Amino acid sequence: MKFLKLLVLFVFVQVNAQQGGMWIPSLLKGMNESEMKTLGMKITAEQIYSVNKSSLKDAVPQFDGGCTAEVISDKGLILTNHHCGFDAIQNHSSVDHDYLTNGFWAYKTEDELPNKGMVVTFIARIEDVTTKVLDGVAAITNEADKQKKIQENISNLNKSLPKEAWQENSIRTFYDGNQYILFVTETYKDIRLVGAPPSSIGKFGSDTDNWVWPRHTGDFSMFRIYADKNNRPAEYSVDNVPYKPKYFFPISIKGVKENDFTMVMGYPGRTQEYLPSYAVDQIVNTLNPAKIEIRDAALKVQDGFMRKDNAIKIQYASKYASVANYWKKWIGETKGLKKSNAIGIKQAFEKDFLEKVVKAGKQAEYGSLLSDFEKNYGEIKDYALARDLFTEIALRNTEILTLGYKLYQLEQIYNNKGEQAFNDRRNALITGLGDFYKDFNPNVDQKVFEQLIGIYAKKYPKQFLPTAFENVNTETLAADVFTKSQLVTYEKIKVLLTGDSKTVLENINKDNGFQVIKAMADGYLKNVAPKYDELNLKNFATQRTYMKAILELSPKSARIFPDANSTLRVTYGKVKGYKPNDGVIYEPFTYLDGVIEKYIPGDYEFDVPKKLIDLYNTKNYGAYGSKGKMPVAFIATNHTTGGNSGSPTLDANGNLIGLNFDRVWEGTMSDIYYSPDICRNIMADIRYVLFIVDKFAGAENLIKEMKIIAPEKKK
């Protein structure tokens, strides 16, 4: 009996140990491959990443710098999320051609729409270059000088390490500066929009359903990569041809069931899994609440205008979605960290860590790390809060202030680099501002300004608050700025920026809108930023040593994966439901039935196209339905984060079965603390994607491009 209990415990620990982690694809052989095989994977690590042969990694590019995509045909067709392609869809939209509302489909390649500035980047090779990067660093004692030397080494290596003429070298840091890895990349610059469902499908549920389960969103869009006649990267040209990939994913419509193996490949943006408890406490109780309050106020204003005016809705659709995304994420993250007792678990880990330090006789090297963290995070608290408030209010959520800060930077360029640099930046600014003003509405921004300046005056640490904001009447200030400032229209700001540098700077400084941001920026850059940077550098150095100690003192069997940093990673798990709250159990699948249940005619979040309703009523699901139902989405235990949007979800054989687009609300804490009990990633079922392309859009030309693996017919 005792043996049986031990065996059960061992199996339980092993199963849980196999969940979580964002692993470097070139280093999967060994422990990771063994774990993946145990979970059900039928391919090899070599098939996932290979330098000498085509492999799965060759079909997973980073999409436009912030998302992931996957190649799904031998003609360069790629799939990503609707929200990843949203800016492109919006930019091609107008009142007459409203692709956001009606969707877009190219039934011929000549109908595909080019997207200026859009890129996709493939990984050609991955190589550890830690020794080369850290050459000559150990002898340096000053942290700032140490970082300078590292950056010099990286710069030199990026230039000197071998690559093809059309490739680029990029060296990234891992394990908080304890490892450095080279990524040789290929970036394609001619990317054309091929297809996107209407927002009532691709964005169904919008902000209400964002970050939650159950989801019923067909969050996908399709693009095509074009290359020159040699299949190499090239700027847009009518002479370019569809890209011939090294590898593309077969698509399985066999379906998924609970406990099936799943693997997600992509470019997760940023995680902080090894932060000390003091940092997590500050995030949960100080920084997240402040950022949530700011974005909540901005969103309420924008939403009020968008619901009343369709032109404003189009203008602000992408911006609103961007602001709402992390607002809701921070709410869920805070909730999950509290529910999972992440701070307490971190504290227990730290107690165990100190015991390991003593046991190893490493007190002199590592014994003061946690007390250093406690001191540094105590000192940085007000500076970190001021930094987040300034960033959220001035640089992200109040558009006139964000614009004003560009003028502030223009003034700094003149002061530091002179007339020529000033003229270059001024000209570039004027050219680029057209796109800004196309989607700028002063009536909306005035109300946002009024609300957020009120929060700034009230919540900014008093010792740093500029005197101009003491006892400020925000309504009066907002009305004054938006009545008198030259920043409110493109025509006026072009006049403001006309003339020699002396004239321009004199006129800018007379503008009352600029005066607001200048007071904020001067105060921040003088009283907050220098001390914040000093304390943050201390924390960075301490974190690097802490990570080194964790790696050194942990057993070889420990699953210590590097934090996400927008480089290609593999995460694996199983299709699994979960229990978010007492008495609540979620199944891992949703169906088109749920779309119809949520349907609210005319509502911008929950409206449903008539054709989709007709397809549902007639059960016209084609080859994509299952047992009379149309699968829409599913969840699994894969460890994902921002940047994994659009990532391929693969089955045990490496076939595409889904499209990652979100996480469950409580599971957003996985950026800081991953728990297999709570954390789930959300994926669009590939059958729903193909159903929309085929039956809803009638884009048979796209279906014919793909390699689709159908279920075996019963004999």
Side-chain angles (χ1 to χ4, degrees), residues 569-586:
R569 303 296 181 90
V570 171
T571 180
Y572 46 88
K574 288 194 171 189
V575 177
K576 204 78 176 172
Y578 78 112
K579 183 178 179 180
N581 297 301
D582 182 50
V584 178
I585 298 175
Y586 283 134

Side-chain angles (χ1 to χ4, degrees), residues 74-85:
D74 63 356
K75 298 180 178 64
L77 186 65
I78 59 173
L79 184 65
T80 189
N81 285 156
H82 186 272
H83 72 260
C84 294

Side-chain angles (χ1 to χ4, degrees), residues 254 709-715:
K254 293 182 178 181
I709 303 171
E712 295 178 3
K713 293 183 179 180
K714 293 181 180 180
K715 295 181 180 179

